[in-house]
Amino acid sequence: MTLVFEYLGLCSDVQEMAYVKDEDDDQLIYEYEHIHKQCQLLQDVVSNEFIANKTGNEILKAALDRAKKENIKGAMIYTHPIGNYGHGPGPTIGSFANQVHVEGLGEYPLHENTFYALELCVRQEVPSLDNMTILYGQEIDILFKDNKTHYIAGRQDNLHII
């Protein structure tokens, strides 16, 4: 589900995951919720690498290295600054097609009092779906202030079951 909203004159999109329940889906929902927790752990890993004056590329490398140590499978990070028109000035931290080094925008340093769309995903197998690999993404707006990340409007704690 994608929502577009404006906050303090900043526009961004937020992506949260939902599942439309059918009969006998309890095991599948359990597996999705486990993947959701892995995605939240990746959010924490990336947030902990937000340190003033680190470049987007330095944050990307440190976060992916940490994700590997945390055994987060299929971690991908494509976080970007937000501003008046969606994307804004500041460091890009990875891109969907580039998880190594983003020329130009990835070389910008992180500054205090800036906003980002913490956008990322994990790619993981779902046993109930014959081990099909799914891409499970999240995007939530954060503020970097006082050398910490703050979720502007909270974050999705659980998979939405409809």
Side-chain angles (χ1 to χ4, degrees):
M1 147 178 19
T2 300
L3 304 170
V4 178
F5 71 94
E6 183 177 328
Y7 181 79
L8 297 175
L10 303 173
C11 299
S12 185
D13 54 308
V14 172
Q15 297 173 26
E16 294 193 356
M17 298 298 280
Y19 180 74
V20 179
K21 187 174 177 7
D22 199 1
E23 294 179 28
D24 302 320
D25 279 352
D26 293 337
Q27 180 62 31
L28 179 59
I29 290 169
Y30 173 81
E31 292 164 3
Y32 281 154
E33 287 175 340
H34 172 75
I35 295 170
H36 181 84
K37 296 297 180 201
Q38 290 290 292
C39 216
Q40 281 190 301
L41 179 56
L42 183 57
Q43 287 175 330
D44 294 339
V45 164
V46 176
S47 293
N48 288 333
E49 294 302 332
F50 269 57
I51 298 169
N53 298 315
K54 279 179 88 170
T55 68
N57 288 325
E58 290 170 336
I59 295 168
L60 174 67
K61 180 177 181 346
L64 289 174
D65 288 348
R66 183 69 188 170
K68 190 176 284 187
K69 288 179 185 171
E70 295 284 345
N71 199 30
I72 301 171
K73 297 177 183 169
M76 290 180 65
I77 303 163
Y78 34 99
T79 295
H80 56 85
I82 58 174
N84 294 332
Y85 305 101
H87 292 218
T92 295
I93 303 166
S95 73
F96 195 80
N98 184 348
Q99 294 291 290
V100 179
H101 181 88
V102 179
E103 284 293 321
L105 295 176
E107 297 167 358
Y108 293 150
L110 180 68
H111 293 288
E112 284 279 332
N113 301 315
T114 52
F115 292 85
Y116 297 85
L118 180 60
E119 187 171 11
L120 46 76
C121 69
V122 296
R123 291 166 304 191
Q124 298 196 0
E125 293 179 346
V126 181
S128 294
L129 299 176
D130 296 325
N131 289 320
M132 178 175 71
T133 299
I134 65 164
L135 186 143
Y136 190 101
Q138 291 281 285
E139 183 173 9
I140 195 72
D141 291 339
I142 59 173
L143 163 65
F144 181 66
K145 180 179 179 181
D146 300 326
N147 220 23
K148 290 182 183 177
T149 57
H150 306 271
Y151 292 91
I152 295 172
R155 71 176 180 179
Q156 182 183 0
D157 290 324
N158 299 297
L159 177 67
H160 299 299
I161 305 299
I162 300 170

